[in-house]
Amino acid sequence: MPAEPIFRLPTRHLLGIEGLAPPHVDAILDLSETYVETSRRAEKKASGLRGRTVINLFFENSTRTRTSFELAGKRLGGDVINMSVEASSVKKGETLIDTALTLTAMNPDVLIVRHPDSGAVKLLSEKVRASVINAGDGQHEHPTQALLDALTIRRRKGRLSGLVVAICGDILHSRVARSNILLLQVMGAVVRVVAPTTLLPAGIERWGVEVFHDMRRGLDGADIVMMLRLQRERMDGGYVPSPREFFHFYGLDRDKLARAKPDALIMHPGPMNRGVEIDSIVADDLDRSVIQEQVEMGVAVRMAVLDLLTRNLQGNEPPGGVPAGSGR
Ligand code: ASP
């Protein structure tokens, strides 16, 4: 029997969910499952990135994403360097592109980039030889967050297709919402957004989602309740009255959650504002909240993405592969 072809992503970079088809998503999630197992072993090492150099380049704060990319790269045997922008020449006025070109001269294989401006990561990807992973650009996309959310859901519910997912809160400023909407729709889920009009992007009706302004109606019969942080750093005016009032209408508490399915999962990408968009009682509910599981899945998904992208780089042929379309 001929060997199955090695699965490859269609592009050198992962800049967004846009451009990924269901077989790509399935293959990433299938490979991530393997890395969940690896990460649960005492000996957590794999070898897909042996000899490779990965640079974490974060122009915006991050706890989970930066750490989990670092762990992912190290568990795959790569050399991972964290570039602290605070300490770099960027503070002295070096431009994004100059920074990228300087780093490229050091021959990294993968650049993982977070930037406050939408589109900045794509711009950078056009100037460098390395594979670029978007770790969040402004309000635009955060593809690995959507992939780790999908993995968390698929492991708990066994599928994505047909599920009703309510994404609630600050949709306007959220790259997590955008990437999740794209991914969940491509995988056949029904996506609802629940927010006040001030926190919804113009033209949201054209995104193919169901729009709700009333939280209880929006959660009615939902399988997944995904909460978002109020992104105050991206707000330049009065988008919401007071945090207290926001919580009253849009904060997830037991009462509002009662409208969702009895086995609905509670998700949040973090960092959480307890008492603003989510009550601690539901955030810490061990039966329903999968917020910590999302963090664990983040490492596995990032290992899978790093592995798959470096297969596209010259001279890195892995011994085995994930065949396209092998997903559930
Ligand atoms: N950590 C996510 C992001 O970087 C969500 C958030 O910051 O609220 O977009």
Side-chain angles (χ1 to χ4, degrees):
M1 211 171 72
E4 287 193 280
I6 292 165
F7 175 79
R8 290 177 191 281
L9 286 175
T11 54
R12 187 156 56 102
H13 310 300
L14 181 68
L15 301 176
I17 295 299
E18 227 163 0
L20 293 184
H24 306 132
V25 174
D26 279 329
I28 295 170
L29 301 188
D30 290 348
L31 184 58
S32 304
E33 292 284 3
T34 313
Y35 289 131
V36 173
E37 295 313 312
T38 310
S39 296
R40 287 182 176 177
R41 292 199 305 248
E43 160 71 56
K44 297 178 174 50
K45 283 282 186 193
S47 60
L49 242 65
R50 192 183 299 140
R52 298 288 185 183
T53 303
V54 177
I55 300 184
N56 260 331
L57 181 59
F58 278 59
F59 295 87
E60 234 187 29
N61 289 342
S62 166
T63 315
R64 272 156 289 269
T65 308
R66 194 182 58 76
T67 317
S68 81
F69 266 117
E70 183 178 352
L71 265 182
K74 287 181 171 163
R75 284 185 186 166
L76 287 171
D79 294 318
V80 186
I81 286 147
N82 292 311
M83 267 278 297
S84 159
V85 171
E86 280 300 313
S88 78
S89 296
V90 174
K91 284 279 154 190
K92 298 178 200 153
E94 196 173 77
T95 66
L96 173 71
I97 301 305
D98 283 338
T99 307
L101 295 178
T102 305
L103 291 175
T104 290
M106 298 174 196
N107 288 322
D109 298 288
V110 186
L111 285 175
I112 297 160
V113 188
R114 170 169 288 191
H115 198 280
D117 297 334
S118 307
V121 181
K122 178 169 188 299
L123 187 70
L124 187 141
S125 74
E126 288 159 5
K127 312 282 178 196
V128 298
R129 282 192 304 272
S131 277
V132 175
I133 300 177
N134 181 2
D137 63 326
Q139 303 170 199
H140 178 227
E141 278 228 40
H142 191 353
T144 55
Q145 177 71 47
L147 287 162
L148 75 89
D149 289 341
L151 180 64
T152 309
I153 297 172
R154 198 181 78 166
R155 285 171 64 89
R156 286 289 188 132
K157 298 285 181 194
R159 69 198 158 101
L160 295 167
S161 172
L163 294 177
V164 176
V165 183
I167 307 180
C168 313
D170 188 357
I171 311 287
L172 176 63
H173 300 104
S174 176
R175 50 199 179 206
V176 173
R178 184 181 290 267
S179 290
N180 261 303
I181 290 170
L182 290 168
L183 187 146
L184 289 164
Q185 284 182 336
V186 101
M187 299 309 284
V190 176
V191 184
R192 297 178 184 171
V193 293
V194 186
T197 320
T198 48
L199 292 180
L200 286 170
I204 184 79
E205 355 19 87
R206 291 195 295 276
W207 292 23
V209 294
E210 298 173 5
V211 181
F212 292 85
H213 303 298
D214 180 278
M215 182 95 168
R216 288 181 177 78
R217 290 186 52 217
L219 295 196
D220 207 22
D223 295 285
I224 310 290
V225 181
M226 194 180 280
M227 300 306 300
L228 298 172
R229 181 176 67 92
L230 277 184
Q231 317 241 314
R232 291 185 182 283
E233 72 276 23
R234 296 190 218 292
M235 294 185 191
D236 53 8
Y239 287 87
V240 283
S242 64
R244 220 185 128 114
E245 210 174 318
F246 183 80
F247 182 76
H248 177 71
F249 290 107
Y250 292 100
L252 186 67
D253 55 16
R254 274 203 176 131
D255 181 50
K256 297 188 194 86
L257 182 63
R259 298 295 287 266
K261 289 212 177 121
D263 61 350
L265 301 178
I266 302 162
M267 304 181 77
H268 194 304
M272 279 186 279
N273 288 313
R274 291 168 183 263
V276 180
E277 73 268 356
I278 191 162
D279 189 43
S280 282
I281 303 224
V282 293
D284 301 333
D285 179 339
L286 292 179
D287 292 330
R288 314 280 296 272
S289 168
V290 291
I291 295 169
Q292 295 311 322
E293 213 167 299
Q294 287 173 267
V295 179
E296 183 189 3
M297 294 309 124
V299 179
V301 155
R302 287 167 180 132
M303 288 173 81
V305 166
L306 282 167
D307 181 347
L308 288 170
L309 283 180
T310 47
R311 289 178 192 183
N312 287 347
L313 298 172
Q314 230 185 351
N316 195 34
E317 304 297 335
V322 183
S326 69
R328 294 167 224 184

